[in-house]
Amino acid sequence: VTSAIDKQIPRKRVLVADDNAVNQMLAQKLLTAQGYDVDLVSDGEQATKLAATGTYYAVLMDCQMPVMDGYAASRCIRKMEHETGRSTPIIAMTASVADGDRERCFEAGMHEYLAKPFGLESLRKVLEKFETCDATGLTVTGQVGREP
């Protein structure tokens, strides 16, 4: 049942970039359970095209994908945003937990890092860090992770 209040408040949209269909399905399920709308893409090139629209609350970015990996896609998104002044939160999703992986994500322009597999609570905590973002401009106003 949708109330009149629900109809007036637009739902936040999250872009999930992951080449694994099972990971996409899991991320979508976790995000929709928290009230987000979700768009799914399977490579970094598709992610950069959709992120350029500026309509996303956040981007969940797998680091290892075909065509364009998540690191290159994040750098491309940051380059595009530099001209607009936006800073859409990009959250790395990776199964790799080797030394230096977090730093590589931050250097590519990602704001946060989630190690796979992750659950509802971990995802919720990361997304809550961005609640200080302007929902229309998506400008990060708080210190989260490491600023790109």
Side-chain angles (χ1 to χ4, degrees):
V1 177
T2 304
S3 71
I5 293 173
D6 292 334
K7 291 178 183 176
Q8 294 174 6
I9 300 171
R11 290 168 45 117
K12 294 176 182 173
R13 182 167 293 283
V14 175
L15 176 62
V16 175
D18 197 312
D19 61 321
N20 182 295
V22 173
N23 290 340
Q24 285 183 344
M25 186 175 60
L26 177 60
Q28 184 173 32
K29 183 177 179 179
L30 294 174
L31 288 163
T32 56
Q34 295 180 68
Y36 295 98
D37 288 329
V38 180
D39 290 332
L40 303 170
V41 296
S42 58
D43 66 61
E45 187 175 296
Q46 295 170 337
T48 59
K49 288 177 183 175
L50 285 181
T53 66
T55 59
Y56 292 99
Y57 173 71
V59 177
L60 297 183
M61 184 77 73
D62 183 25
C63 294
Q64 303 298 323
M65 293 182 289
V67 183
M68 179 188 288
D69 68 25
Y71 303 108
S74 295
R75 284 190 293 274
C76 186
I77 291 167
R78 292 296 173 232
K79 186 175 180 180
M80 289 186 297
E81 289 180 335
H82 181 71
E83 296 177 15
T84 65
R86 290 183 185 273
S87 185
T88 304
I90 301 176
I91 301 158
M93 299 187 300
T94 183
S96 177
V97 290
D99 288 341
D101 283 342
R102 287 180 70 92
E103 290 74 21
R104 185 173 178 203
C105 292
F106 295 140
E107 288 169 4
M110 299 177 191
H111 288 96
E112 270 297 338
Y113 177 99
L114 274 172
K116 293 180 193 175
F118 56 85
L120 183 66
E121 190 62 21
S122 298
L123 180 59
R124 185 189 61 75
K125 284 181 180 180
V126 167
L127 289 170
E128 277 183 352
K129 293 178 181 182
F130 300 105
E131 286 297 318
T132 57
C133 296
D134 178 331
T136 58
L138 297 175
T139 302
V140 175
T141 57
Q143 189 73 344
V144 180
R146 210 173 108 188
E147 292 294 316

